[in-house]
Amino acid sequence: DTPTLAIGLCAHGHITCPDCLARCHACTRDLCLECGLQGCSSCKELLCSDCAVVCSACGQWACAEHCARCPVCQETTCFTCQDVCAGCGTRQCRSHLVADHLATAHLLCSHCAILCPHCARPSAHTATCHYCGQVFCQGCVQTCIACGHTYCPAHVMAAPLEGGPVCKHCLITCPHCGTEAVTVARCVTCGHE
């Protein structure tokens, strides 16, 4: 409704002024604003309804370069609704990913997120207990100061006299006072420990 000295013709045959005419990023056709141009949710380039992919998660339009089929739910979603698993690099819907509790900026897929049996939180940063062979997150395991192996909370304990965690294999109980330590001394006179 604005006076103009020049007119443009939309690909659908609509007469319009140059200010109301835009070019689709994908098919490069000139279309008027009445024909339903929208910006891609990721790159913001204008798309016509024929070239746009409607995201099944948010309903926004996306260009072919910024949407993909999710390998979990098989829905085509835009990159704004997707993210990449920090473990395997697979792109999928953000709703299928969980945050690594040891690196909250990292999202993990169901294959890479190991649920720690001790704290029950997901992580890709894991370690195996040397005693039981079970996999735990690195936040729940400790390294024995005597043998250097990694142990879960059930198989390592704090040894105040030693200044750090010690596994149950490395602890020796003093026969006199009952204190557990990594080493006990032998009496040079009588030979008892």
Side-chain angles (χ1 to χ4, degrees):
D1 296 325
T2 303
T4 180
L5 294 174
I7 60 167
L9 186 62
C10 166
H12 293 149
H14 303 134
I15 297 172
T16 183
C17 73
D19 290 340
C20 292
L21 199 62
R23 181 163 285 174
C24 173
H25 174 69
C27 67
T28 66
R29 291 184 301 167
D30 288 330
L31 296 162
C32 68
L33 301 181
E34 299 257 333
C35 287
L37 287 165
Q38 280 189 29
C40 170
S41 61
S42 295
C43 67
K44 308 304 181 205
E45 293 285 354
L46 290 177
L47 301 165
C48 68
S49 58
D50 295 333
C51 297
V53 177
V54 179
C55 175
S56 60
C58 67
Q60 298 293 316
W61 287 10
C63 63
E65 294 84 18
H66 294 110
C67 66
R69 181 169 289 205
C70 173
V72 177
C73 65
Q74 301 302 313
E75 294 288 337
T76 300
T77 53
C78 66
F79 282 6
T80 306
C81 293
Q82 292 184 352
D83 219 318
V84 176
C85 171
C88 64
T90 303
R91 179 175 283 282
Q92 58 189 264
C93 295
R94 193 175 282 117
S95 60
H96 304 309
L97 300 169
V98 294
D100 188 326
H101 88 96
L102 294 177
T104 53
H106 294 164
L107 296 175
L108 302 170
C109 69
S110 59
H111 299 293
C112 296
I114 305 298
L115 196 63
C116 176
H118 181 71
C119 69
R121 294 187 288 181
S123 182
H125 300 86
T126 59
T128 304
C129 175
H130 186 70
Y131 183 81
C132 66
Q134 198 165 7
V135 177
F136 294 83
C137 73
Q138 289 181 356
C140 290
V141 295
Q142 296 184 50
T143 302
C144 174
I145 61 168
C147 66
H149 292 297
T150 303
Y151 292 92
C152 69
H155 298 110
V156 71
M157 55 193 319
L161 296 177
E162 310 302 331
V166 178
C167 71
K168 293 181 178 180
H169 291 298
C170 294
L171 283 176
I172 302 168
T173 304
C174 175
H176 296 287
C177 67
T179 303
E180 292 182 315
V182 176
T183 58
V184 290
R186 185 177 296 278
C187 177
V188 292
T189 305
C190 67
H192 289 98
E193 289 185 340

